[in-house]
Amino acid sequence: MSSVSETKEKKEWIEWVKAIVIALLLAFFLRSFVFATSIVEGDSMDPALEDGEKVIFNKFVYIISEPERGDIVIINRPHKNYVKRVVALPGETVEMKNHTLYINGVEHDQSFLNDSARMLTGNFGPIEVPEESYYVMGDNRAISKDSRNGLGFIGREEIIGRSEFIIYPFNEWELTR
């Protein structure tokens, strides 16, 4: 009898080990190829994202599609990742005139900005975005290092994911799109 219960117990342990190994492999796959986390550093995306917030970003989405205007993206640059909003797409002409954003000469709504951020965005352009590049800006335009002043055009290969969800602090859980 004890041999039967030992065999049953051994099989149960093997099943547990298999389940744990599968769970670890699945977690590794998801972390490596689908989702990752990033910590927002600074106030350049305020109020959408605040300093110290931890976000989950989707790495897979841009394997099957392209970034769209309005997406909050993670940009991989040497020594640092940046979180910015896509403002203009490849081949478009972007211009800011009298606190209004124009894409290809057409006024573009920036409902994600509050009035003070809109008023603090200085005039620029028109600027044509090269093919395979994007024009990005932070939502806190007065202090953001972005395509206007330091980051320049963002190559498609530098965009590693789209911000999807704030996970920390816990009381601020929300979608970032």
Side-chain angles (χ1 to χ4, degrees):
M1 280 286 205
S2 85
S3 172
V4 171
S5 74
E6 284 177 13
T7 304
K8 185 177 179 184
E9 194 173 296
K10 186 176 178 181
K11 284 183 180 180
E12 190 172 311
W13 272 104
I14 290 171
E15 290 304 313
W16 272 104
V17 169
K18 281 184 197 176
I20 291 170
V21 167
I22 290 170
L24 289 172
L25 289 172
L26 183 60
F28 173 77
F29 173 80
L30 289 173
R31 173 74 168 94
S32 297
F33 302 107
V34 181
F35 293 106
T37 60
S38 184
I39 297 175
V40 177
E41 294 179 11
D43 295 318
S44 72
M45 284 301 295
D46 194 45
L49 298 173
E50 298 173 8
D51 185 38
E53 288 182 334
K54 194 170 203 175
V55 296
I56 290 180
F57 68 94
N58 184 336
K59 293 176 161 185
F60 183 72
V61 67
Y62 296 138
I63 292 172
I64 60 173
S65 67
E66 294 297 317
E68 296 177 11
R69 185 179 353 278
D71 285 357
I72 297 175
V73 296
I74 311 301
I75 301 160
N76 182 257
R77 286 282 174 94
H79 312 294
K80 187 172 182 178
N81 286 347
Y82 293 89
V83 180
K84 302 294 174 193
R85 189 179 299 273
V86 174
V87 174
L89 306 174
E92 293 182 332
T93 300
V94 60
E95 180 177 16
M96 181 66 75
K97 191 169 40 175
N98 299 322
H99 314 295
T100 302
L101 178 68
Y102 293 90
I103 305 291
N104 295 331
V106 177
E107 185 176 332
H108 180 72
D109 177 44
Q110 298 180 87
S111 58
F112 49 85
L113 291 181
N114 60 34
D115 287 337
S116 65
R118 192 174 293 110
M119 298 306 279
L120 292 171
T121 307
N123 292 339
F124 64 84
I127 299 168
E128 187 173 339
V129 181
E131 292 300 323
E132 296 296 316
S133 294
Y134 294 82
Y135 196 90
V136 299
M137 294 186 350
D139 289 356
N140 190 351
R141 304 283 168 80
I143 66 164
S144 179
K145 179 179 179 182
D146 51 37
S147 289
R148 298 170 297 158
N149 57 15
L151 290 183
F153 298 114
I154 305 302
R156 173 62 187 87
E157 70 283 354
E158 295 176 290
I159 298 176
I160 59 171
R162 181 178 69 201
S163 176
E164 298 286 353
F165 193 76
I166 297 170
I167 59 169
Y168 183 83
F170 299 119
N171 63 338
E172 295 188 23
W173 278 21
E174 65 181 58
L175 293 174
T176 59
R177 299 197 68 216

